Amino acid sequence: MSDDNTSEKAVKPRKIQTPPGIHDILPKEHDYFTFIKKVVRHRARQSGFRRISTPILEFTEVFDRSIGDSTDIVQKEMYTFEDRGGRSMTLKPEGTAGVVRAYVQHGMKEFPQPVELYYIEPHFRYDRPQKGRYRQFWQFGFEIIGESDPALDVQCIYIANKIFEDLGVANRLTLQINNIGSPKSRAKYVEAIENFYVGKERSLCENCLARLETNPLRLLDCKEEDCQILAQLAPKFEQFRSEEDNHFHNLVKEFLDELEIKFVENEQLVRGLDYYTQTVFEFWDSETGSQNAVGGGGRYDGLVEELGGESTPGTGFSVGIERLIYHMKQANIQVPSKDNVHVFVAQLGDLAKKKCLRLMDQLRERGVKTVGALGKGSMKAQMKLADKFGVPYTLIMGITEVREGTVIIRDMAKGQQRFVKMEQVVEEVVKLIGEENLDLYSPGEVTVMP
Ligand code: HAM
């Protein structure tokens, strides 16, 4: 054998990993995802929201124009590339821009207003991967487009709160709210902030120095200690809010009080996306604060127009599902799993296998969750597999049983087994499992239009 041949043989294809910050969702984790989706869907339906899915891939312009050129998301975090047709495309880093693009594109202005939509989708940001910060992450979000009223902002917060309560994490989170006013009052405030930082540049971190040029409001929520000290001394927005802004903000607070939703007023909360006007809010980890907020949102009265529609107000929020699951686990919240299997079917010989295929179908149609060893394993190997699945009962069919028209039912916990006639085995198993435990979920009947 030549050397070349030997080295060819020795090369084993290397294992491929997911890219940094991008993860598989394995079955155990999916129990949480499934449960959260159920809660979100229930709370959405209860309040008249309808589901929307926008594409994962949009023209880059959708995000440039909405999130803002100078934001971290647009500057550093978008997955942007040219497609084969030379168009600039971006994997969506957040959900609001796409929903608003869809509102304009599909003429939803003609629908009864406000239009209330929700989504549960993956998003992509080229963030530095760390705990709670991923490059692909899931969000659910709610958007109310078409009307401007503080009560609608509070509706969003109320729904988020209900979902947190349902999931057992509400007491781990603190609602932070602020009002960043209309674009007009904010422009005056930005000017005051710029003036305040004149001569203080040397105390700022590199990021803030750059933001002073591009997005001065973001200096207020920098996490660096020196920047935070300065931010505390900076002029407060309160002095720049117009009477209208104040009225709006006061109503938000009154409505929250009415619903007994606790909040902290936070003058420094500005959010990382440019489209906000008036109300902004975030749900913080009560212990660690602003780092890794679980959710956030606010009002975006200029966004529809920014994306080519008529001037139309909007408000909404979204929540990071991975961060939510982290809190559920921290709070020892167990979610129900429907993945447990009732029955394992073991068989020997092709004839038995044939009978088993039919039996498995009958069991499943009756609501018994059934798996079968349909490979070539010995009876011993099949019984080991049954143990692995943790099933309460195993059905065994060998050559003798096929000949005699019987099946063995084995009670796995007691280690006892008995023969049952083939025709009776399904009902016998149902009795053992209990009608109430059968998996008879039906998605609803379909109808054929005449
Ligand atoms: P956002 O604050 O950028 O807002 O994101 C909302 C939530 O998504 C965050 O609070 C966090 O839980 C989660 N999240 C963000 N980035 C990551 C990441 N790299 N890894 C894991 N989770 C992350 C928005 O996206 C707005 N669209 C919210 C909104 C809806 N405003 C109005 N309507």
Side-chain angles (χ1 to χ4, degrees), residues 373-385:
L374 298 175
K376 293 195 171 44
S378 66
M379 189 49 78
K380 200 170 156 202
Q382 294 186 44
M383 295 310 284
K384 258 195 184 163
L385 204 55

Side-chain angles (χ1 to χ4, degrees), residues 19 37 100 106 132-133 170 177 191 209 245 291 307 366 439:
K37 282 181 196 171
V100 171
H106 301 288
R133 201 164 282 274
I177 66 164
E191 204 182 315
L209 217 46
D245 301 336
Q291 205 75 38
L307 288 176
R366 188 68 178 84
D439 195 343

Side-chain angles (χ1 to χ4, degrees), residues 21 73 77 93-97 119 123-128 130 132-144 156 271-273 275-276 281-283 292-300 303 314-324:
I73 297 182
E77 296 173 3
E94 61 100 52
T96 313
Y119 47 88
H123 295 86
F124 304 84
R125 292 185 194 175
Y126 196 80
D127 239 335
R128 196 157 57 84
Q130 51 191 294
R133 201 164 282 274
Y134 311 111
R135 289 184 174 167
Q136 177 178 333
F137 58 95
W138 284 72
Q139 282 183 346
F140 67 79
F142 286 65
E143 312 289 351
I144 306 178
C156 289
R271 307 268 300 132
L273 306 103
Y275 50 61
Y276 291 113
F281 57 90
E282 281 185 358
F283 294 94
N292 293 349
V294 170
R299 175 157 288 284
Y300 45 85
L303 186 53
T315 187
F317 73 95
S318 56
V319 169
I321 297 185
E322 288 84 352
R323 291 187 190 177
L324 198 50

